[in-house]
Amino acid sequence: MFELPEDIQEIRDLARDFARNEILPGAAERDREHAFPADLVRQLGEMGFMGMFVPEEYGGAGLSTLAYTVALEEISYADASVGVVMSVNNSLVCWPIMAFGTEAQKRKYLVPLARGEKLGCYALTEPNAGSDAGAQRTRVTVADDGSYVLNGTKMWITNAPQADIAVTYANLDPAQRHRAVCAFIVERDYEGFEVGKVEDKLGIRSSGTAELIYTNLRVPKENLLHEERKGFKVAMATLDGGRIGIAAQALGIAQRAFDLAVAYAKERQQFGKPIAANQAIQWMLADMATRLEAARHLTWRAAWLKDQGRPVGKEASMAKLYASETAGFCTDRALQIHGGYGYSREYEVERLYRDARITRLYEGTSEIQRLVIAKHVLG
Ligand code: CAA
């Protein structure tokens, strides 16, 4: 596939118009103010962008993973904070409920999530379970009536301050590590649900990231997602798709940095000519353009494989690894091309440089992506 199908080009154009006209103008101010883009998220819901690959009968847009990937790049081009809110709701919340949920769970939770009427978060990470996701210590016990009782603390949870629903992982027996992990659909209104410390972050500052504290939180038995002790597989299969989303987010940031660098290099005059006339600048732009193309091909191919129902773990990690490293490379070079101006908050490239950094950390660090790829390569 070397050209996007026409229907996906139309989705890209729709996303591009909305991103550049509605999202981009307020991005710098939201970053400064740490302001959650509630209104934009509501509009994305109305456009079908909060449940893009969810079938229409469950409130979604009924599109492909590829269409979602292309749209997410466009949204992140304008503001990576809006991009991650969209990415988490689609990939990490709608997807596992769509893939593993019962019919009743889909009717009750997937429909409002996919319509964007409710927002979701994915509560896996804990203070001592970051890269080692199998080390889940949040405890779950089974009550006499068959309901579940959760106790523990999650951290670094994207969307936690605003989310209505948290797909949450907890362990029946931490000594058994991932083999005793269960997944649950938890509502914010349940007694014992508390949003803890909200993080003050380097980048993606208008998205919310916080701790979640569960104290004797009772979850009805019908909110178990998939089967008891199968939660780790839910978590890992979910991240296979989520990593394609983060690759798309990284691509959006990198493309914006590249476009700004090209424009600035043509406009900025030094030594009596535009700086773009210098080979030093041209080579930076050439490297950026080449890496962008390569990252996009990896990302689109991973999305396409997922749409074919084929295994995608290795390809998703490759796309996420390469696209996030490309976002780091492109924002660094774009800042360099801007010189001292690039270091100022007045220039957008400064925000892009900060926003890009997270893509090498969340949904698995670059080191974890290499570990996953190496496991596949070595068999
Ligand atoms: N799909 C299904 N099952 C999988 C799987 C996958 N992709 N990967 C592993 N599994 C299964 C294995 O088959 C194995 O099953 P059995 O016990 O039946 O054999 C089990 O899971 C354990 O597998 P491993 O032995 O490979 O597990 P591990 O403990 O070595 O960890 C890991 C593997 C890849 C390092 C994993 O811990 C990992 O992905 N860590 C990174 C965590 C991460 O990405 N966190 C992101 C948090 S969410 C986030 O960041 C969201 C946000 O803010 C935007």
Side-chain angles (χ1 to χ4, degrees):
M1 184 232 341
F2 294 100
E3 189 79 69
L4 287 175
E6 238 171 69
D7 55 329
I8 299 187
Q9 289 186 35
E10 282 168 21
I11 298 291
R12 182 193 58 199
D13 294 345
L14 175 70
R16 185 170 291 179
D17 279 354
F18 183 72
R20 299 189 189 187
N21 296 323
E22 307 297 329
I23 301 181
L24 189 57
E29 188 182 338
R30 286 190 301 273
D31 171 66
R32 256 193 320 275
E33 306 294 327
H34 225 170
F36 183 75
D39 207 37
L40 292 170
V41 172
R42 184 187 52 74
Q43 291 178 70
L44 285 172
E46 287 165 6
M47 290 164 70
F49 278 29
M50 295 303 277
M52 286 193 79
F53 45 66
V54 175
E56 288 177 51
E57 59 169 316
Y58 293 117
L63 296 165
S64 60
T65 312
L66 182 59
Y68 158 64
T69 304
V70 167
L72 185 54
E73 177 185 337
E74 294 298 331
I75 301 300
S76 304
Y77 180 95
D79 186 346
S81 291
V82 180
V84 75
V85 176
M86 174 178 156
S87 168
V88 166
N89 199 73
N90 276 273
S91 294
L92 301 189
V93 184
C94 286
W95 189 84
I97 300 177
M98 186 177 105
F100 297 103
T102 61
E103 185 58 27
Q105 287 172 345
K106 289 180 195 172
R107 294 267 158 239
K108 186 168 181 189
Y109 297 110
L110 185 55
V111 170
L113 282 163
R115 286 190 184 144
E117 295 161 359
K118 291 208 187 290
L119 186 68
C121 69
Y122 175 86
L124 176 71
T125 303
E126 299 181 359
N128 290 305
S131 289
D132 185 6
Q136 295 285 306
R137 295 230 183 106
T138 293
R139 285 303 301 269
V140 51
T141 51
V142 187
D144 290 343
D145 63 358
S147 63
Y148 296 95
V149 181
L150 268 55
N151 279 287
T153 300
K154 300 289 176 180
M155 73 183 298
W156 305 122
I157 308 304
T158 304
N159 287 353
Q162 295 82 22
D164 305 287
I165 288 155
V167 171
T168 298
Y169 298 88
N171 210 330
L172 281 164
D173 178 6
Q176 293 185 48
R177 287 183 45 92
H178 71 271
R179 286 182 197 83
V181 171
C182 310
F184 299 97
I185 303 173
V186 171
E187 294 183 28
R188 184 191 190 92
D189 295 337
Y190 289 167
E191 212 179 311
F193 183 101
E194 190 191 334
V195 177
K197 181 177 160 233
V198 177
E199 298 296 338
D200 185 4
K201 310 187 295 282
L202 173 74
I204 54 161
R205 288 176 60 78
S206 62
S207 68
T209 308
E211 256 179 359
L212 284 180
I213 303 161
Y214 299 118
T215 311
N216 294 325
L217 182 142
R218 200 171 275 260
V219 183
K221 62 180 171 206
E222 60 270 21
N223 280 32
L224 173 72
L225 185 57
H226 201 31
E227 294 166 31
E228 276 185 16
R229 297 172 185 270
K230 295 273 174 73
F232 196 69
K233 285 200 191 291
V234 174
M236 290 297 110
T238 301
L239 285 170
D240 283 350
R243 288 167 183 163
I244 303 173
I246 299 305
Q249 183 202 24
L251 266 175
I253 302 169
Q255 184 68 52
R256 179 69 181 156
F258 175 74
D259 289 352
L260 289 172
V262 169
Y264 189 81
K266 287 181 178 171
E267 165 202 312
R268 171 73 172 163
Q269 302 272 332
Q270 287 292 276
F271 303 105
K273 59 183 182 189
I275 60 170
N278 300 309
Q279 200 176 52
I281 302 290
Q282 291 169 7
W283 286 24
M284 280 195 241
L285 293 173
D287 285 344
M288 289 160 83
T290 306
R291 290 188 195 205
L292 261 166
E293 282 288 306
R296 190 168 288 113
H297 279 84
L298 283 171
T299 306
W300 286 3
R301 177 150 187 282
W304 176 83
L305 281 172
K306 188 156 171 58
D307 285 331
Q308 309 307 307
R310 289 171 47 187
V312 76
K314 181 181 75 177
E315 289 77 7
S317 281
M318 285 177 165
K320 201 266 188 188
L321 170 65
Y322 196 76
S324 62
E325 304 267 334
T326 295
F329 179 84
C330 288
T331 53
D332 180 78
R333 297 305 184 276
L335 197 151
Q336 190 69 19
I337 289 170
H338 279 71
Y341 290 108
Y343 203 61
S344 160
R345 292 249 151 140
E346 281 177 34
Y347 280 73
E348 194 181 332
V349 70
E350 183 268 348
R351 173 171 55 82
L352 297 172
Y353 182 82
R354 287 184 287 108
D355 283 354
R357 193 63 186 83
I358 188 61
T359 63
R360 278 184 275 164
L361 300 171
Y362 59 20
E363 299 206 26
T365 59
S366 289
E367 292 69 31
I368 290 295
Q369 307 312 323
R370 289 186 172 94
L371 188 147
V372 171
I373 297 163
K375 271 191 188 172
H376 281 277
V377 169
L378 296 168

